[in-house]
Amino acid sequence: MNLPNKLTVLRVILIPFFVVSLLAFGGNVRILRYVAASIFIVASLTDMLDGKIARKYNLVTNFGKFMDPLADKLLVCSALICLVELRQLPSWMVIIIVSREFIISGFRLVAAEQGIVIAASYWGKFKTTFQMLAVILMIVDLPVLRLITVICTWVALILTIVSLVDYIMKNHKVLTEGRM
C-alpha cells in the first residue's frame, strides 16, 4: 500500500463524511456546507496528487489503476446526486454526466482486455476541472457567485458531451475492429 494508493483510499473514506456534511439538516446549515466543500476540495486534490506521485516515482499498481478512477467517479457522482437531492442541479444533467462516465469506463474495459491503455484526453481533464469547480460553487451556494456557478455548470455539461464525442471518435476502433 504505497502513498498514491493510500491517497486513493483516503478519497473513498472521505465520501461518506462529505455526503453527511452536505445533506445534514437538508443542506441548510452554512458551516456544514463549508465543511462539505472543504472535504470535497481535499478529496479532489488527492485525485490530482495520487496520479502525479505514482507516475513520478514509478508507483503505478493494478490496485491504483482500478481504484483511482473508481474513487474519482464515486466522489463526483456522490456530489452530483447530493446536489439533485438539494434541488440545486437537475437530474437530467446528472444523468448525462453519469452516462458519459459509464460509457468511457466501458470503452476502457474493452480496450484493457485487448491490452490497450487509453489515456485521458485534454477534453476530459477540462471536463473534470469544470465539474469540480461547479460542484464546489454549488456546495458553497453563495448568491454573489450564482451566475459564475451557472456558467461553470453549463461549461462542465458541454465539456462532458464534447469529451465523450472526442473519446468515441478517437477510440471507436476498439469496438468496431477489436483493435486500434
Side-chain angles (χ1 to χ4, degrees):
M1 186 60 70
N2 60 35
L3 179 58
N5 290 344
K6 288 177 183 176
L7 290 171
T8 298
V9 170
L10 174 63
R11 188 161 63 255
V12 173
I13 291 169
L14 288 174
I15 293 170
F17 295 99
F18 161 74
V19 169
V20 168
S21 298
L22 184 56
L23 294 181
F25 306 104
N28 293 319
V29 178
R30 177 85 20 217
I31 190 72
L32 289 177
R33 280 190 169 257
Y34 294 145
V35 168
S38 299
I39 294 170
F40 186 83
I41 290 167
V42 167
S44 297
L45 290 174
T46 67
D47 182 36
M48 186 178 66
L49 277 175
D50 63 10
K52 286 186 179 196
I53 293 169
R55 285 185 295 277
K56 182 175 182 176
Y57 296 104
N58 197 26
L59 298 172
V60 176
T61 64
N62 286 335
F63 177 84
K65 288 178 192 175
F66 171 74
M67 279 303 296
D68 181 60
L70 181 60
D72 178 40
K73 286 168 186 41
L74 288 171
L75 175 65
V76 172
C77 289
S78 296
L80 296 174
I81 292 166
C82 287
L83 292 165
V84 169
E85 172 79 13
L86 295 172
R87 301 191 189 296
Q88 288 184 256
L89 194 60
S91 57
W92 66 266
M93 280 187 170
V94 175
I95 290 168
I96 290 171
I97 293 167
V98 171
S99 295
R100 183 248 184 225
E101 298 307 328
F102 276 110
I103 292 167
I104 299 299
S105 294
F107 257 91
R108 284 198 169 123
L109 182 63
V110 170
E113 288 175 354
Q114 298 173 22
I116 301 166
V117 176
I118 301 174
S121 71
Y122 285 108
W123 289 114
K125 291 177 182 185
F126 293 142
K127 177 253 337 161
T128 299
T129 300
F130 273 92
Q131 276 181 358
M132 291 184 171
L133 181 58
V135 165
I136 292 164
L137 289 168
M138 282 185 265
I139 292 168
V140 296
D141 193 29
L142 295 174
V144 70
L145 297 175
R146 196 126 315 132
L147 179 60
I148 293 170
T149 303
V150 169
I151 291 169
C152 284
T153 302
W154 279 98
V155 169
L157 183 67
I158 291 165
L159 289 172
T160 296
I161 295 165
V162 168
S163 67
L164 174 63
V165 171
D166 177 64
Y167 200 92
I168 290 171
M169 288 174 58
K170 286 181 180 172
N171 301 294
H172 68 91
K173 291 181 181 179
V174 169
L175 294 180
T176 59
E177 298 177 12
R179 299 269 317 141
M180 284 187 34

